[in-house]
Amino acid sequence: MSGAVFAQQLVNGIMLGGIYMLIAVAFTLAIGVLNFLNFSIPGIFMVGAIATWRALENGWPWVGAIAAGLLAAGVASYLVERFTYRWMRGLDHEIPLVSSLGFLILFENLVLIGYGSDQQTFPALMPDFNIRVAGLVIGTGQLISLVLALVLVIAASGLLERTRIGRGIRAVAENADTATILGVEIHRVVPALFILIGLLSGVSGILFAMNYLQVSAFMGHEIGLKGIAAMVIGGMGNIWGAILGGLLIGLIEVLSIAFFGANRADICVYGALLLLLVVRPEGLLGGSAIVREKL
Amino acid sequence: MSGYGEAILVMLAINIVVALAGYLPLAAGQLNLGIAGFMAVGGYTSAYLTSAYHLPMGVGMAAGAAAAGLLGLLVAVPVLRTSGIYLALATFALGQVIQAAFLNIEAVGAAAGYPVKPYAGFTVVLSVAFGVLVAVLLLSRTRFALLLTATKNDPLVTELFGVDVRAIRVAAFSLGALIAGIGGALYAHHYSYLEPQNFNIMLSVYIALYVLLGGTQTVAGPIVGAAFFTLLPELLRAGSHWRFVIFAVLIILVMAVRPEGLITGALARRLRFGKRREAAS
Amino acid sequence: MSLLALDDVGKNFGGLVVVKNLSFTVEAGQRVALIGPNGAGKSTVFNLITGVYPLTSGRVLFDGVDITHLPMRRRIGLGVARSFQNIRLMGHLSVVENIMLGQQPKAGGLAALLTPYRLMPRHRWIEEARAALDEAGLGAYADLSVDSLPYGVRKRVDLLRAVVANPKMLLLDEPAAGLNERETEDLHDALMAIAAKGVTLVVVEHDMHFVDRLCERVVVINFGEKIAEGTMAEVRASPLVREAYLGGDATVGAGHA
Ligand SMILES: Nc1ncnc2c1ncn2[C@@H]1O[C@H](COP(=O)(O)OP(=O)(O)OP(=O)(O)O)[C@@H](O)[C@H]1O
Ligand SMILES: [Mg+2]
């Protein structure tokens, strides 16, 4: 492989990483704050994209359609909160995980019933044009996604750092009981967090649809599951880890396709995840994975 | 029996086998999201040995089970150092790796799929499934089962009472993998065709979910869960997607109001106790 | 030779020093109390003796064996059993099955593990567990789920589970906490009976009246350090102890804490 081709692959990997990043951040917020591995996120990703697609089909303008997609994703995520986390706080942490798988199945099959299992064509926002820099081809859509992803992630982390609700979220992450005692309104903070998670997932679904120009009921699988890998590799609960993980997974995927072929990419991506879980479960940027126990 | 009835029973039998595979680790508190991977190992191993080396089907199935169990043992030791969410993630990753691996093994057809020769009919599938069920039922009457429950309940206290909790977990996980291998072999020889896509993450998810729906405190739980999952569409006669919708809603509701699943140990005890009381009076 | 010896034991959690330079011994057959204000490190000392946490420094000897680095599951085999401050029974198991967990250290190897005893209603394990429950006056609860039991009964099952393991030494973390007067009295009698069989008792307890009647010797710790040791009367006289219990307040002498 020549240097130029290799450089091009690196660029492609980073662009792909931008998509994984957003979804990895959604996962990491759920894990970091609520210790909740939220498997409904790939479903919410899909709901955002499908709702946008439907709105466009019905002749809505882009802004309206994207708003509709985000609204649908936010509502879907709120429903997940309502029926998983809220009912089961304090119980076995695997129970919300299981319910969130239920929601994944629910969302996907409702969409299947509504629109069938075929890939649907998503209209192009702009005619395809690429930027050429120093011999490298960069897709404009992908570049916008990457920049937008970074901006959104930084905004989300700013939200956590600086706003009242963000401080509430972080207090809950430290210790839900203490936070309640300190006056954090957990019944407002947690739904807000879920809506944030829903919006991030929805945005990433819409961006994905705009880049790849198609949507389907199962579109969340590949991306969502790789988002999990990205989150874990970066370090669960760490937003910057999710960014790093997203980029790494994007790179691993693109480079393994280039070197070993498309069929081997999943072996490399999930093999890396498995290896990491065995040798360093806390991830690259994560702290200790050990949970304290009061005896 | 009608062909239709037989087809349903075969499906039920295979679903019960893989439910038991998911149940054993869950009884010790471990969520295995990679069952489909172990099914694939069992199925492909048996299919390959019977086709390429003309081994009898029984030997092939045994080898498939052994291969899946061995792989389970091999990965259990490092993977079970982690627990909870980490374990669920590791098994998920493992399932993905296994599926992707079979997509690349030319000897068994890679992505094109692999035809399986010796055919396991109704009787064979049901007998093997029955054998597995009896074995697991026997196991559930032992101290090993007691320690599985204790491990799930409170691993620290279990360890303090002299139990090697890690060994118990490894055993439960590997036995589950072995049984999944049997389930995969039954699937292979009954449906006569294997494709890596059959063993995707959603299959693992469905298995884990119907076990949890039934409950993980008694062997009755996974059986009820598998029966429910298999028979629901037949009872409803609804489109196949509605079946999943209803299943998903049920899972969400059951986890919300009765997170231990439909059948709990206390329920089983009450039923047994009630029976004894009736017998006494 | 002492049954239990802590030799210059220290434990830090991150930067927090919880146990410091702690040495004390317990002779076989003794009834010893380990007391101290809330957060003094008493439960932590039990966790160190049973191997729940590794020591930061020092050694623990039991029955002449250095158990500092022994995995926690090996310790019950040597004869160390314990109860927990917050009862930790197995909620998914019935009362008999909880007691059967107590039999585990002497249950035997793989063959025992795979014996389908539940198909044999007269199996030795079940009979022994029921007999132990009957003897403790808990027979009526045998087949119930532990979660359905009243608090006092659960505490007794918890104690019985540890006793069934035939330990040489029992570590009891606040056995009388939450019990009413009647139950406390029964507990006292039960512990005296256990001790009479030669079991060494180490008790963490806030009820000083209870401690006074049960134990021959008292070790007092504060902020993880030993501040006094001796008979109840000797300990009571120590100014350090009065200081520790809220600046010389009479708590230590006044019975119910
Ligand atoms: N796993 C742990 N990690 C960090 N700190 C701990 C841990 N366990 C105990 N501590 C701290 O060590 C100190 C002593 O705790 P410990 O539970 O041993 O006290 P105690 O004497 O048993 O108190 P009490 O009478 O309230 O039961 C406390 O400050 C506690 O917060
Ligand atoms: Mg304590």
Side-chain angles (χ1 to χ4, degrees), chain A residues 9-27:
Chain A
Q9 296 294 358
L10 281 184
V11 169
N12 293 350
I14 290 170
M15 295 298 153
L16 186 61
I19 304 257
Y20 294 150
M21 227 151 65
L22 275 172
I23 212 153
V25 169
F27 274 112

Side-chain angles (χ1 to χ4, degrees), chain A residues 9 29 31 71 88 106 116 118 133 148 176 206 213 249 261 269:
Chain A
Q9 296 294 358
L29 283 175
I31 285 265
L71 181 70
M88 288 161 263
L106 181 64
D118 296 338
V133 185
L148 198 58
I206 297 168
L213 302 181
I249 290 289
V269 169

Side-chain angles (χ1 to χ4, degrees), chain B residues 81-147:
Chain B
R81 282 208 333 228
T82 61
S83 65
I85 287 173
Y86 292 91
L87 177 70
L89 283 167
T91 54
F92 151 72
L94 180 69
Q96 297 287 82
V97 171
I98 295 175
Q99 190 202 347
F102 280 111
L103 213 51
N104 288 287
I105 302 177
E106 295 296 337
V108 289
Y114 190 55
V116 184
K117 240 176 280 135
Y119 175 69
F122 177 77
T123 322
V124 173
V125 174
L126 260 74
S127 321
V128 173
F130 185 72
V132 171
L133 179 59
V134 169
V136 175
L137 275 172
L138 269 177
L139 197 64
S140 76
R141 312 278 102 176
T142 65
R143 194 171 265 275
F144 177 69
L146 181 79
L147 298 185

Side-chain angles (χ1 to χ4, degrees), chain B:
Chain B
M1 194 182 300
S2 70
Y4 173 74
E6 284 193 1
I8 300 273
L9 275 181
V10 163
M11 205 153 67
L12 179 63
I14 295 177
N15 281 346
I16 286 179
V17 171
V18 294
L20 294 172
Y23 159 76
L24 277 176
L26 269 169
Q30 310 157 311
L31 182 60
N32 183 348
L33 288 180
I35 300 268
F38 291 107
M39 287 176 69
V41 171
Y44 274 104
T45 304
S46 183
Y48 181 71
L49 291 179
T50 47
S51 306
Y53 297 101
H54 306 290
L55 292 179
M57 189 163 65
V59 177
M61 284 191 182
L70 213 61
L71 180 68
L73 189 66
L74 222 65
V75 298
V77 176
V79 162
L80 290 182
R81 282 208 333 228
T82 61
S83 65
I85 287 173
Y86 292 91
L87 177 70
L89 283 167
T91 54
F92 151 72
L94 180 69
Q96 297 287 82
V97 171
I98 295 175
Q99 190 202 347
F102 280 111
L103 213 51
N104 288 287
I105 302 177
E106 295 296 337
V108 289
Y114 190 55
V116 184
K117 240 176 280 135
Y119 175 69
F122 177 77
T123 322
V124 173
V125 174
L126 260 74
S127 321
V128 173
F130 185 72
V132 171
L133 179 59
V134 169
V136 175
L137 275 172
L138 269 177
L139 197 64
S140 76
R141 312 278 102 176
T142 65
R143 194 171 265 275
F144 177 69
L146 181 79
L147 298 185
L148 286 183
T149 313
T151 296
K152 173 182 174 165
N153 237 212
D154 194 331
L156 183 102
V157 170
T158 308
E159 186 97 18
L160 281 170
F161 276 98
V163 179
D164 187 343
V165 163
R166 178 115 182 264
I168 293 284
R169 285 182 168 150
V170 168
F173 188 86
S174 313
L175 267 178
L178 182 140
I179 294 175
I182 298 177
L186 288 177
Y187 177 94
H189 289 287
H190 184 77
Y191 296 106
S192 302
Y193 202 77
L194 287 175
E195 280 179 287
Q197 293 85 325
N198 296 147
F199 301 100
N200 61 30
I201 170 76
M202 288 321 276
L203 177 60
S204 297
V205 165
Y206 283 120
I207 294 167
L209 289 190
Y210 63 69
V211 174
L212 285 159
L213 180 71
T216 58
Q217 294 178 2
T218 67
V219 182
I223 296 172
V224 167
F228 191 85
F229 183 77
T230 316
L231 302 178
L232 180 71
E234 310 310 325
L235 296 178
L236 291 174
R237 297 231 156 245
S240 73
H241 298 315
W242 280 110
R243 133 198 205 187
F244 290 113
V245 169
I246 291 170
F247 178 68
V249 169
L250 270 169
I251 273 285
I252 293 161
L253 290 181
V254 167
M255 286 299 124
V257 301
R258 196 179 166 85
E260 304 89 2
L262 296 172
I263 314 284
T264 61
L267 176 69
R269 258 196 297 284
R270 222 172 307 135
L271 290 177
R272 223 175 303 132
F273 212 54
K275 242 189 293 168
R276 199 180 301 160
R277 222 178 276 154
E278 268 167 43
S281 62

